[in-house]
Amino acid sequence: MFGKLLIANRGEIALRIQRACRELGIPTVAVHSTADAQAMHVRLADESVCIGPPSAKDSYLNVAAILTAASITGADAIHPGYGFLSENAGFAEMVEDHGLTFIGPSAAHIRMMGDKITAKAAMASLGVPLVPGSPGAVADLTEAAAVSETIGYPVLIKAAAGGGGRGMKVAHTADELSEAWRVARAEARAAFGNDAVYIEKYLDKPRHIELQVLADAFGNVVHLGERDCSLQRRHQKLLEEAGSPALTGAERDALGATVCAGLTKLGYRNAGTLEFLYQDGQFAFIEMNTRLQVEHPVTEMITGIDIVREQIRIAAGQPLGYTQAEVKFSGHAIEVRVTAEDPETFAPSPGRVDVFHAPGGLGVRVDSALYAGYVVPPHYDSMVAKLIVHGTDRPTAIARLRRALEEFAVVGIKTTIPLHQRIAADPAFNAGDYDIHWLERFVAGE
Ligand code: ADP
């Protein structure tokens, strides 16, 4: 096992990783920007190193500073969390070149899945079903028009290097194609420095269903069931459930068997998530995330498996130690992402938190780095807390979510708690009757 682990992240996920390390008996090193000197992840770490000024590109994305911090503290492993450097194959390679262990998959697999075109090609070759679309990158508008005619409008133009919902534009008709083409490419170039795009059929009422997997270095691959992340705004998830209210256990098991066989063949190692759109009883792969995901806790709640602990054990060369048949699902879990934003306009609301009272009780978990007196900096992601509830079934979990949201007090900054209360009270949500477009209409008051 590792002697000391550096966490190249901040906020709730840095705490989440610290908790797993503490339970495993591994001392931790926190890194932080000058804006985060008072942050909870710094306070709770065994050691901490300041790695730069507030701007993420000069601190949490500063590879040289992070590697230096690892070297001077004697850390022998780095966990990247999510976001920042977590899907940067070059970083993973550099960590290994410095004789440290990167807690995640191989750089080759990060690279393969980081480009959605190569990811889709790899999955197709493993027998995983895809969304209909262009076989690869689309070179120009003429080819885009030809592909769109073949698959039929509406179509979605997507950035090969995409993430966070950026570089994605819909063309409902042939008339809209050239504008969507121009905007998607410009956004892709600005956000990712890569304007390669591909085209997919734009599905009108899919659910976003993803499968969590764990794979060790000995060819053992298991899935931990699905998460339904259909409640999205601007292609960003706001609420996630495990399992999906739309899926039967048999459908999950069949998908799981295909995916686990595919990843075994690929030689994938560590945690990963395959994302699918699910419509009319069909799954279609859209991308694979080669890292820990924000919404991993709902899976932990229904399986009892600590995914971060498993990531660390796998990276340390330990076998999983259990089979698919030994992974048991129990009850239902829901996570809501609480952001420091106005719940109606979504305008950012950083600043001082005067009161912070997290809900508790049976089946309630709060992953947050907030505390009373903390000043939420304006420089980073707006998510300030995750509230996760678990119940014996979905109605019990929803009742618990409503109760926990009522107890949750964050005073001083605006948060999206009131929005989550409205969602939790909505009849369509309670019926499990929603798709990826539902929340946009709900927020618009339609
Ligand atoms: P990113 O990496 O930017 O998150 P994804 O490919 O994961 O991009 O897609 C994000 C979200 O966009 C999906 O969860 C879904 O809501 C929507 N989306 C992606 N592809 C399609 C599609 N072909 N049809 C309809 N919606 C889509």
Side-chain angles (χ1 to χ4, degrees):
M1 194 37 84
F2 303 112
K4 196 185 275 187
L5 190 146
L6 182 142
I7 301 164
N9 217 301
R10 64 182 300 282
E12 68 85 19
I13 200 61
L15 290 187
R16 169 71 191 85
I17 299 162
Q18 282 175 358
R19 287 176 174 141
C21 288
R22 194 134 299 150
E23 291 178 19
L24 283 164
I26 306 170
T28 58
V29 179
V31 293
H32 67 91
S33 69
T34 51
D36 275 343
Q38 303 303 320
M40 191 70 120
H41 78 279
V42 177
R43 294 182 172 201
L44 290 187
D46 295 296
E47 287 171 74
S48 64
V49 181
C50 181
I51 50 167
S55 148
K57 95 174 163 11
D58 299 319
S59 51
Y60 298 103
L61 294 171
N62 184 342
V63 172
I66 291 168
L67 290 174
T68 306
S71 157
I72 58 174
T73 54
D76 52 2
I78 297 187
H79 196 307
Y82 54 67
F84 295 130
L85 296 166
S86 61
E87 289 176 296
N88 184 320
F91 176 65
E93 239 155 31
M94 256 188 264
V95 170
E96 299 279 332
D97 287 349
H98 280 73
L100 312 176
T101 302
F102 178 79
I103 313 280
S106 69
H109 285 143
I110 298 175
R111 197 165 277 130
M112 173 189 284
M113 300 306 169
D115 181 315
K116 294 185 186 183
I117 294 172
T118 52
K120 287 184 77 168
M123 288 301 159
S125 76
L126 297 169
V128 177
L130 308 182
V131 183
S134 59
V138 176
D140 53 32
L141 190 53
T142 315
E143 191 186 338
V147 169
S148 303
E149 282 307 325
T150 312
I151 59 174
Y153 287 91
V155 298
L156 188 61
I157 302 170
K158 297 174 80 170
R166 284 169 303 170
M168 222 185 276
K169 281 286 163 263
V170 187
H172 293 96
T173 60
D175 289 344
E176 291 179 11
L177 188 67
S178 73
E179 177 65 4
W181 171 261
R182 193 186 60 73
V183 175
R185 292 197 50 180
E187 250 183 57
R189 199 178 310 119
F192 315 110
N194 172 359
D195 63 5
V197 295
Y198 61 106
I199 295 182
E200 274 178 3
K201 176 90 185 161
Y202 183 64
L203 301 181
D204 60 344
K205 49 177 178 24
R207 301 180 79 108
H208 173 118
I209 292 180
E210 58 185 37
L211 201 73
Q212 173 73 55
V213 297
L214 289 176
D216 68 15
F218 308 96
N220 303 303
V221 183
V222 298
H223 72 82
L224 303 184
E226 84 284 10
R227 295 185 284 259
D228 194 321
C229 313
S230 302
L231 290 191
Q232 304 180 356
R233 180 175 167 269
R234 300 196 173 158
H235 307 302
Q236 296 266 51
K237 301 160 189 166
L238 257 77
L239 179 153
E240 304 95 352
E241 308 195 48
S244 168
L247 219 61
T248 64
E251 285 176 297
R252 175 192 61 218
D253 292 346
L255 180 71
T258 308
V259 164
C260 291
L263 292 182
T264 307
K265 221 164 158 188
L266 203 62
Y268 189 81
R269 195 192 61 225
N270 215 278
T273 297
L274 287 93
E275 298 191 334
F276 297 87
L277 296 179
Y278 174 77
Q279 182 168 316
D280 304 325
Q282 303 285 324
F283 287 101
F285 171 84
I286 49 173
E287 70 162 337
M288 178 167 185
N289 291 317
T290 53
R291 57 169 165 84
L292 184 65
Q293 287 195 280
V294 175
E295 60 272 23
H296 76 277
V298 286
T299 301
E300 297 184 325
M301 302 306 273
I302 63 160
T303 59
I305 292 174
D306 178 334
I307 295 173
V308 179
R309 178 191 177 96
E310 295 306 88
Q311 285 192 293
I312 297 170
R313 285 203 316 110
I314 291 166
Q318 296 185 4
L320 275 181
Y322 43 87
T323 62
Q324 187 66 58
E326 288 167 312
V327 175
K328 301 285 183 218
F329 303 108
S330 161
H332 192 88
I334 302 175
E335 172 183 284
V336 298
R337 300 188 187 192
V338 176
T339 55
E341 290 176 317
D342 183 297
E344 309 242 321
T345 64
F346 297 97
S349 178
R352 188 174 190 278
V353 176
D354 300 317
V355 174
F356 179 73
H357 174 78
L362 180 65
V364 175
R365 164 176 171 183
V366 176
D367 282 19
S368 174
L370 285 190
Y371 58 87
Y374 177 65
V375 179
V376 177
H379 314 285
Y380 313 107
D381 189 89
S382 60
M383 194 180 77
V384 289
K386 304 191 304 206
L387 166 62
I388 305 110
V389 294
H390 181 242
T392 46
D393 55 21
R394 189 167 185 268
T396 312
I398 295 176
R400 196 157 277 160
L401 175 64
R402 288 203 214 117
R403 186 272 288 172
L405 284 166
E406 256 170 52
E407 278 178 34
F408 209 159
V410 183
V411 178
I413 56 169
K414 289 184 184 167
T415 75
T416 46
I417 291 174
L419 170 66
H420 289 301
Q421 287 180 302
R422 287 207 294 128
I423 295 171
D426 184 84
F429 172 72
N430 277 267
D433 180 17
Y434 57 79
D435 60 35
I436 60 164
H437 306 300
W438 184 86
L439 188 67
E440 296 274 3
R441 292 194 297 266
F442 179 80
V443 167
E446 288 168 23

